[in-house]
C-alpha cells in the first residue's frame, strides 16, 4: 500500500511545490524585476517603492475612501510626469507601460499597427467586447469592418440623426419632475442608450431593448433589468474580476476559451451566464431589425463582413459609445455649475442663437445651427480635457521587441495611452487645473496668452479620443450627441442644482467607473 501512496504523495508534493514557485514568480518576482528594470531609465516614471500584489489598486482604494474619484491620484501625478516619456503601472500584480509624453505618443502611433497594435487581454470591457474590432489586431478584415462602421459615423451621416437625439433627450427630461433630485448618470445612460438603439436598430426596437431580462446576483437571487443595465453591471462585474484572488492564482478558471473551466465556480460562472443573456438581447435586436434606414439594415447589406462580425461591431457601438457619451454629458453639466461664468456665457449663446424650448418643440435642430455654437464646442472640449470618460486607452501590445523614446519594451508587453496626466501637465497647458473653455477659442485673450507661452495644448496633448490609426472611430458622432444633449437639457430644464458639497470638493469626476453620485436637482422654472 505504501508503495502506491508514497509515489503519489511525492508527485503531488512536487506539483504543489512547482505551482508555488510559479505563482511566486508570477505574482512577486516578475513584477519586482520589471520595477527594477524600468527604474534604471530616467525617462520612465516608477513608483519610489514597489507595492506587491496591489499596485495602483492601493491608490485607487484610498481615493475612493476619501470621497474622490478613483483616478484622482492620476491628476496628482501630473507634476511627476513632466520630463517622463513612460510610466510603469501595476494593475494588481500585472505590469504594463503607460505612454505619457507627446514624443512617446507620436512614436507609438508610428509603430501601430506594424509592431504595436490592439490586443484583448479579456479584462473588464474586453470581456463584453470579445470579437469586436475595438480589440482585434489591424488585419485586412478588421480594417474593412472599421471602414464600414466609420462610414456611418461621419458628420454628414451622423447629422441626420439629430432629430432622434433631440426627441429622446426630451422624452427622458419629461420623466424628471421640478424640484426633485435625480441620478443624472442613470438618466444620461437612458438617453444615450435609447439614441443608440434607435439609430442602430430603429425606434421600434427600443421597447425590445428595454425588455426586462434575468441577471444573477452574487447572493444567488435574480433581478430583472433592461439591456442597458445588463451592460453596466457586466462591465463592473468583469472589472471586479481583475482583483479576484482566483483570477491571479487560478487564471484558467476565468479563461473564456476554456468553457469547461469557466463554468466551474463563481463569480466566473455567474458572470459568463449573465454575459450570454446580454448577447442574446443583442442578437434579438439584430434579428428583429426592420427599419430600412437603420445602421443595422445598412450593415446587413454589406457582403464583405461576416454576420458574426456585424453583430459584434453593432454591440461595440452600444457599449463603447452610449456609456462614454453619457458620462461626458454629466461631467459637462457638473463643470458648468462649478464655473458660473461659463454657465451664463453658454446660456447667453443659446439665447442669441434663438435656441429655446419653443424652438426645439417646433423647429428641427440642424447641424448648421449647432455649428454656430462656438462656445458650446469649447465647453465640451474643456470637459473632455478635465474629465475624460476614460482615464486611459484600451490595451495595446508589442508584437515584437520595440523601443519607445529609447526604452526597450519586450514582445508581448501590454501598453496603454495615459490620458489624465497629460491633460494636467502645465508644460502643455496654461492653468491646467481650472475649467477655462476659452483655452480652445483662438480669438480669446486666454488662448493668445497660452499660445505665446507654448501652452495651448496642441497636437498630442489633446487625448480625449486618442490618436493614430486606432483613435476613436465614433468621435464625431459622440461630440454631436453630447452637444445635442447639453442643448436640450439647458433649454428644457432652464436650470439645475449641483450639491454645494460636491462643487466645493476637489478631485471630483464622473468618468466610467466613478463612484461619486451625480444627484442633481431639476429646476424647470
Amino acid at each position: 500500500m505504501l508503495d502506491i501512496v508514497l509515489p503519489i504523495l511525492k508527485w503531488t508534493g512536487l506539483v504543489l511545490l512547482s505551482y508555488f514557485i510559479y505563482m511566486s514568480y508570477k505574482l512577486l518576482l516578475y513584477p519586482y524585476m520589471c520595477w527594477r528594470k524600468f527604474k534604471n531609465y530616467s525617462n520612465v516614471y516608477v513608483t519610489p517603492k514597489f507595492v506587491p500584489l496591489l499596485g495602483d489598486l492601493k491608490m485607487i482604494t484610498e481615493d475612493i475612501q476619501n470621497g474622490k474619484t478613483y483616478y484622482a491620484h492620476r491628476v496628482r501625478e501630473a507634476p511627476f510626469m513632466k520630463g517622463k516619456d513612460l510610466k510603469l503601472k501595476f494593475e494588481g500584480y500585472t505590469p504594463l507601460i503607460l505612454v505619457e509624453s507627446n514624443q512617446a505618443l507620436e512614436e507609438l502611433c508610428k509603430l501601430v499597427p506594424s509592431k504595436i497594435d490592439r490586443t484583448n487581454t479579456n479584462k473588464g470591457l474586453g470581456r463584453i467586447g470579445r470579437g469586436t474590432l475595438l480589440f482585434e489586431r489591424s488585419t485586412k478584415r478588421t480594417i474593412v469592418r472599421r471602414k464600414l462602421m466609420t462610414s456611418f459615423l461621419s458628420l454628414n451621416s451622423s447629422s441626420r440623426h439629430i432629430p432622434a437625439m433631440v426627441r429622446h433627450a426630451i422624452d427622458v427630461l419629461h420623466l424628471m419632475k421640478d424640484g426633485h433630485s435625480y441620478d443624472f448618470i442613470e438618466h444620461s445612460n437612458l438617453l444615450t442608450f435609447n439614441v443608440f438603439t434607435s439609430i442602430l436598430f430603429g425606434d421600434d426596437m427600443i421597447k425590445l431593448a428595454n425588455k426586462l431580462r434575468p441577471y444573477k446576483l452574487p447572493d444567488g437571487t435574480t433581478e430583472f433589468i433592461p439591456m442597458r443595465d445588463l451592460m453596466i453591471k457586466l462591465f463592473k462585474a468583469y472589472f471586479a474580476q481583475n482583483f479576484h484572488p482566483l483570477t491571479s492564482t487560478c487564471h484558467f478558471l476565468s479563461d473564456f476559451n476554456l468553457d469547461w473551466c469557466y463554468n466551474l465556480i463563481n463569480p466566473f460562472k455567474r458572470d459568463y451566464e449573465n454575459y450570454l443573456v446580454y448577447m442574446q438581447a443583442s442578437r434579438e435586436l439584430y434579428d428583429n431589425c426592420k427599419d430600412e434606414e437603420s445602421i443595422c439594415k445598412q450593415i446587413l447589406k454589406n457582403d464583405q463582413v461576416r454576420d458574426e462580425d456585424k453583430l459584434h461591431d453593432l454591440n461595440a457601438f452600444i457599449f463603447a459609445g452610449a456609456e462614454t457619451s453619457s458620462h461626458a454629458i454629466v461631467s459637462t453639466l457638473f463643470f458648468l455649475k462649478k464655473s458660473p461664468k461659463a454657465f451664463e456665457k453658454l446660456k447667453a449663446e443659446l439665447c442669441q442663437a434663438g435656441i429655446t424650448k419653443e424652438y426645439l418643440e417646433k423647429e428641427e435642430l440642424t447641424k448648421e445651427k449647432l455649428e454656430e455654437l462656438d462656445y458650446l464646442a469649447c465647453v465640451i472640449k474643456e470637459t473632455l480635457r478635465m474629465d475624460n470618460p476614460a482615464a486611459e486607452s484600451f490595451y495595446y501590445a508589442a508584437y515584437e521587441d520595440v523601443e519607445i523614446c529609447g526604452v526597450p519594451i519586450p514582445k508581448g508587453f501590454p501598453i496603454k495611452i495615459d490620458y489624465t496626466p497629460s491633460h494636467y501637465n502645465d508644460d502643455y497647458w496654461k492653468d491646467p487645473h481650472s475649467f477655462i473653455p476659452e483655452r480652445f477659442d483662438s480669438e480669446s485673450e486666454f488662448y493668445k496668452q497660452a499660445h505665446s507661452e507654448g501652452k495651448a495644448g496642441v497636437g498630442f496633448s489633446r487625448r480625449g479620443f486618442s490618436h493614430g490609426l486606432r483613435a476613436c472611430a465614433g468621435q464625431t458622432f459622440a461630440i454631436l450627441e453630447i452637444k445635442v444633449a447639453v442643448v436640450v437639457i439647458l433649454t428644457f430644464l432652464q436650470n439645475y442644482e449641483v450639491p454645494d458639497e460636491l462643487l466645493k470638493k476637489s478631485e471630483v469626476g464622473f468618468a466610467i467607473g466613478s463612484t461619486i453620485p451625480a444627484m442633481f436637482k431639476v429646476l424647470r422654472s
Side-chain angles (χ1 to χ4, degrees):
M1 187 68 177
L2 287 175
D3 292 341
I4 298 174
V5 173
L6 287 176
I8 292 175
L9 291 176
K10 176 183 176 181
W11 284 108
T12 300
L14 286 173
V15 169
L16 291 176
L17 178 61
S18 299
Y19 186 71
F20 175 77
I21 293 172
Y22 167 72
M23 293 308 301
S24 298
Y25 172 78
K26 178 182 177 182
L27 300 180
L28 296 172
L29 183 58
Y30 176 68
Y32 178 73
M33 290 167 61
C34 289
W35 179 79
R36 285 291 301 269
K37 171 188 173 181
F38 286 105
K39 197 175 181 182
N40 292 325
Y41 294 91
S42 60
N43 61 335
V44 180
Y45 177 79
V46 180
T47 54
K49 293 183 179 180
F50 174 67
V51 182
L53 299 179
L54 292 177
D56 283 22
L57 181 61
K58 180 177 182 292
M59 291 178 285
I60 291 172
T61 304
E62 290 173 353
D63 282 336
I64 294 173
Q65 289 175 342
N66 292 326
K68 304 176 186 296
T69 187
Y70 71 92
Y71 46 91
H73 66 279
R74 307 285 283 277
V75 177
R76 296 193 299 271
E77 283 180 347
F80 302 106
M81 295 302 130
K82 295 171 66 174
K84 304 293 184 181
D85 294 308
L86 306 170
K87 174 191 173 182
L88 179 66
K89 176 190 175 184
F90 288 94
E91 289 186 344
Y93 64 89
T94 305
L96 62 90
I97 284 292
L98 287 179
V99 173
E100 300 293 344
S101 72
N102 289 353
Q103 178 62 36
L105 181 51
E106 183 177 1
E107 290 188 20
L108 173 78
C109 291
K110 290 178 180 178
L111 293 170
V112 176
S114 59
K115 298 181 179 181
I116 295 175
D117 204 1
R118 284 280 174 80
T119 187
N120 192 348
T121 60
N122 277 325
K123 292 183 178 181
L125 195 59
R127 291 293 175 112
I128 312 173
R130 284 197 310 159
T132 72
L133 57 85
L134 294 176
F135 304 104
E136 290 197 5
R137 287 198 68 178
S138 302
T139 61
K140 289 182 179 179
R141 191 173 112 242
T142 53
I143 290 173
V144 169
R145 291 162 64 186
R146 183 180 173 87
K147 286 181 178 179
L148 177 62
M149 285 297 177
T150 53
S151 67
F152 299 106
L153 297 174
S154 66
L155 183 57
N156 288 332
S157 297
S158 300
S159 60
R160 68 187 181 91
H161 301 299
I162 292 176
M165 294 177 185
V166 172
R167 185 173 70 253
H168 289 299
I170 293 173
D171 288 345
V172 169
L173 292 178
H174 280 325
L175 301 174
M176 306 167 81
K177 297 179 181 179
D178 185 28
H180 290 249
S181 294
Y182 295 91
D183 183 343
F184 265 57
I185 288 182
E186 180 181 340
H187 281 72
S188 292
N189 277 333
L190 176 60
L191 189 165
T192 57
F193 188 83
N194 284 350
V195 166
F196 272 81
T197 302
S198 171
I199 291 170
L200 292 177
F201 304 103
D203 273 344
D204 56 336
M205 289 292 100
I206 291 179
K207 185 177 180 180
L208 180 59
N210 288 321
K211 171 184 172 183
L212 300 183
R213 303 175 188 276
Y215 183 87
K216 294 185 178 180
L217 298 168
D219 62 5
T221 61
T222 299
E223 66 174 335
F224 289 83
I225 55 179
M227 185 178 172
R228 64 183 175 86
D229 289 342
L230 262 173
M231 174 183 67
I232 295 168
K233 285 180 176 291
L234 267 176
F235 174 74
K236 290 179 179 178
Y238 281 132
F239 181 76
Q241 275 191 24
N242 294 338
F243 308 102
H244 195 283
L246 289 176
T247 300
S248 54
T249 57
C250 301
H251 181 66
F252 61 90
L253 290 173
S254 65
D255 192 341
F256 258 170
N257 299 315
L258 299 174
D259 290 342
W260 64 274
C261 290
Y262 206 82
N263 288 311
L264 285 178
I265 190 170
N266 288 328
F268 313 113
K269 178 182 178 181
R270 178 181 63 247
D271 292 341
Y272 185 60
E273 290 172 349
N274 288 331
Y275 166 79
L276 293 178
V277 173
Y278 174 77
M279 288 307 298
Q280 178 58 34
S282 297
R283 170 62 69 176
E284 287 181 22
L285 292 174
Y286 183 79
D287 290 340
N288 288 282
C289 176
K290 296 179 176 62
D291 187 344
E292 294 296 330
E293 297 299 315
S294 68
I295 290 178
C296 179
K297 274 294 185 183
Q298 299 301 312
I299 289 176
L300 284 173
K301 295 174 183 177
N302 186 289
D303 57 5
Q304 293 181 285
V305 178
R306 301 181 309 182
D307 284 347
E308 182 182 3
D309 291 337
K310 293 174 184 177
L311 174 62
H312 282 305
D313 291 342
L314 285 166
N315 189 34
F317 255 98
I318 297 176
F319 70 70
E323 183 73 352
T324 52
S325 298
S326 65
H327 286 264
I329 291 166
V330 173
S331 293
T332 303
L333 297 175
F334 170 75
F335 281 108
L336 281 172
K337 276 299 180 177
K338 200 171 176 68
S339 177
K341 288 183 179 179
F343 180 81
E344 293 302 328
K345 188 172 180 178
L346 180 55
K347 291 279 286 186
E349 181 179 64
L350 295 176
C351 183
Q352 187 176 356
I355 300 178
T356 61
K357 179 179 177 181
E358 292 72 23
Y359 170 85
L360 292 178
E361 288 177 330
K362 297 177 182 179
E363 303 289 335
E364 186 173 289
L365 187 63
T366 63
K367 175 186 71 173
E368 290 72 25
K369 198 71 171 175
L370 286 170
E371 287 176 340
E372 292 178 19
L373 305 175
D374 295 330
Y375 193 66
L376 173 62
C378 294
V379 164
I380 293 172
K381 288 177 182 178
E382 179 68 340
T383 298
L384 294 177
R385 182 189 70 82
M386 293 200 71
D387 194 31
N388 201 59
E392 56 198 26
S393 72
F394 295 138
Y395 284 96
Y396 290 80
Y399 285 92
E400 60 180 80
D401 293 345
V402 298
E403 279 192 7
I404 296 179
C405 294
V407 178
I409 300 174
K411 179 180 179 180
F413 208 82
I415 303 167
K416 285 185 177 183
I417 302 170
D418 202 353
Y419 299 149
T420 308
S422 169
H423 287 170
Y424 286 86
N425 188 330
D426 60 15
D427 281 346
Y428 301 154
W429 304 91
K430 180 179 173 63
D431 197 4
H433 291 272
S434 298
F435 184 79
I436 307 173
E438 286 76 10
R439 74 172 73 249
F440 293 100
D441 177 8
S442 59
E443 299 300 318
S444 72
E445 288 303 317
F446 185 90
Y447 175 87
K448 292 175 182 177
Q449 180 63 34
H451 190 270
S452 69
E453 296 175 12
K455 297 183 178 183
V458 297
F460 290 106
S461 303
R462 305 181 185 185
R463 302 186 182 182
F465 294 99
S466 198
H467 286 274
L469 182 67
R470 303 308 296 258
C472 176
Q475 57 183 287
T476 301
F477 185 95
I479 290 292
L480 188 66
E481 185 181 27
I482 297 166
K483 282 183 177 181
V484 171
V486 172
V487 165
V488 174
I489 290 169
L490 292 185
T491 51
F492 267 75
L493 291 188
Q494 295 301 316
N495 209 340
Y496 57 94
E497 280 185 1
V498 176
D500 284 341
E501 60 270 23
L502 207 57
L503 291 174
K504 294 175 182 177
K505 186 185 294 186
S506 62
E507 299 179 331
V508 170
F510 300 97
I512 295 173
S514 174
T515 56
I516 297 175
M519 297 299 294
F520 303 166
K521 181 184 285 188
V522 170
L523 300 173
R524 292 187 179 274
S525 56

